Amino acid sequence: MTKKGSPITTNTGDVNDNDTSASAARRPRAAVRTKALAQALTGSESYVNGKLTRTALASLAILTFITFVGNFTQLQLSAALPTIVSEFGISVTTGQWLTSIFQLVMGVMVPLTAFLTRRFTTRQIVIVSMSVFTVGSLLAWMGPTFLVVLAGRLLEAIGTGVMWPVLQITVFSIYPLSRRGMAMGTVGMAMSVAPALGPTFGGMQTDAFGWRSIFFTLTMIGVFCLALAVFGLHNFGEIDRLAKADFFSVVLSVIGFGGLMFGFTNIESYPFSHPMVWGAVLVGVCGIVWFVVRQVRRARAYAEAAGGTATSGATSGSGKPAEPPLLNLGVLRNRSFTIGTICAALSFFAFSSIMVIMPLYIQNDRGFSATISGLVMMPGAFGMCISQFFGGKLLDRLGARPVALTGTLVLLFGTVMMSLIDLHTWIWWVSIWQFVRQIGMGFIIMPITTWSLNCLEPSEVSAGSAVTNTVRQIAGAIGAPVLVILMETLTQLHGGDRIAASIFGTQWTLRVSAFIVFIQVLIVLFGVKGEGAGSSHDVAQRAIARMRAERERVHAGHPARRPR
């Protein structure tokens, strides 16, 4: 018998099931879907039987598209720059801040990625980022002054600055080692097309509807991306609610890299002996040195607190939880990673400056419209798209050395041929050699970046991604003002006819860019060593070697007992 009012044992499951079903029926479908989206997908749930699951593919496609939008926005104003400079009555050096500040802020935001991906979910990061991006686009669209437009660009950069590292980390967490080159090459196709398509569409919009229409379009795209993130994006990876960021290091990076850029851009208006130049450069250098020293010290303290390994439960000598540095520069001790990072940084240095300099040549020196300027630069996007895809596949088969060496030689040849421009050059000559240049870029950036990250331990990939993306963005941000200032300095030294002097400055700036690419050739030739380095076979062999070393270490620490 049972007591009065007590449930019958055999019916308990049925009662609970009915209650659960009823509550589920009453629960709004939107809440159920939101809960499903919030559940983090693991690598085993994302990649099954040699391919992505439908859920993981949809989320990865959303992340790729949003990152594409950020890269598309980055250089979209380059073709509209002459028009903006004329409307606001500012110098070219001041106007190019609309492009440079985007890259600089993205470079500052990238180090925060390692913290953000530990502390917040993928959905939280993307939704907040797209909200900030949309507000920035709206502000730049409605901004009455150059400073307001610049502030809008700053918010756009903050909103998109973390997206590429988040996408990289997601790809590396989903795909096995043998498929990463192909995956990064495929994703890189979209990323490489974006910066080249940006000036094309920006130029067409500027001629048809004015430069402000660019920001109106970006506002609408931002709203669309926000909707995609809210209703279709799943989370990836686990989070640590107790993780903290070193925001003082963020301030140091802003002061350091911002001061350096501000000093360089003031060279046009002031002599180098003026405090606005040397003072800003000095503040920037001090900020960078302080930033680097702080990262090294925090990394050492974190490693010591964790007993030599970066574990989440590490505590400092004072008993407080030890936090990793904002930017773990310890990954630079890996020679291959450092070489790959330097090579990618030099590529971005040259690439960003060309995307600013050539529209000025096409519009100001040759008298063509912003639309023609964009169309001339557009074929390069397809060249880079093709080479990114095949570069990733060749990396898996042949390794980084032959792929990157081919890319640097092609890039060098294309840059040298582009430097032969003059007042009467066929305008599509620029397009042909920009196409060749970006084929070379495609064989360098993604394969060399994938190879350098593959050379790290799996636990270091997040930190390595933050370091390499920071260095690349900073190199791109500094490259544009440095080579633009060089171009204008050479133009002033030439004297005489304005257009002839401007073309002279452009020619020699391209030759300086070619010399930088020549340095890249030497770095790849002598720095990327080992037959098949970075190929899937090479990565697998190194993984097996690490497993064997770990097994030997364990056995050495626990020797088998000898029989008595």
Side-chain angles (χ1 to χ4, degrees), residues 236-316:
F236 292 92
E238 300 299 325
I239 62 172
D240 178 11
R241 295 290 184 187
L242 301 179
K244 296 180 180 179
D246 180 17
F247 288 103
F248 184 67
S249 293
V250 178
V251 174
L252 287 178
S253 65
V254 171
I255 293 174
F257 295 112
L260 203 63
M261 278 192 62
F262 184 71
F264 276 124
T265 54
N266 282 335
I267 291 177
E268 183 190 17
S269 304
Y270 305 95
F272 190 80
S273 58
H274 196 281
M276 290 291 288
V277 178
W278 68 262
V281 171
L282 180 62
V283 169
V285 170
C286 290
I288 293 172
V289 171
W290 193 352
F291 174 81
V292 171
V293 170
R294 183 176 176 85
Q295 304 316 300
V296 172
R297 287 180 176 176
R298 287 178 66 89
R300 187 182 299 120
Y302 182 65
E304 290 174 355
T309 58
T311 57
S312 59
T315 56
S316 63

Side-chain angles (χ1 to χ4, degrees), residues 2 6-18:
T2 59
S6 63
I8 300 175
T9 306
T10 56
N11 292 336
T12 302
D14 296 335
V15 172
N16 290 340
D17 287 345
N18 292 336

Side-chain angles (χ1 to χ4, degrees), residues 171-228:
V171 169
F172 271 71
S173 67
I174 290 177
Y175 283 92
L177 288 170
S178 60
R179 303 290 291 172
R180 285 180 185 171
M182 182 277 299
M184 290 295 288
T186 304
V187 169
M189 289 173 60
M191 299 308 102
S192 61
V193 170
L197 288 181
T200 303
F201 284 94
M204 294 172 66
Q205 283 186 274
T206 300
D207 285 342
F209 307 107
W211 63 267
R212 290 186 184 275
S213 64
I214 295 174
F215 293 109
F216 169 75
T217 304
L218 291 177
T219 303
M220 298 299 103
I221 293 175
V223 173
F224 177 68
C225 290
L226 186 59
L228 283 179

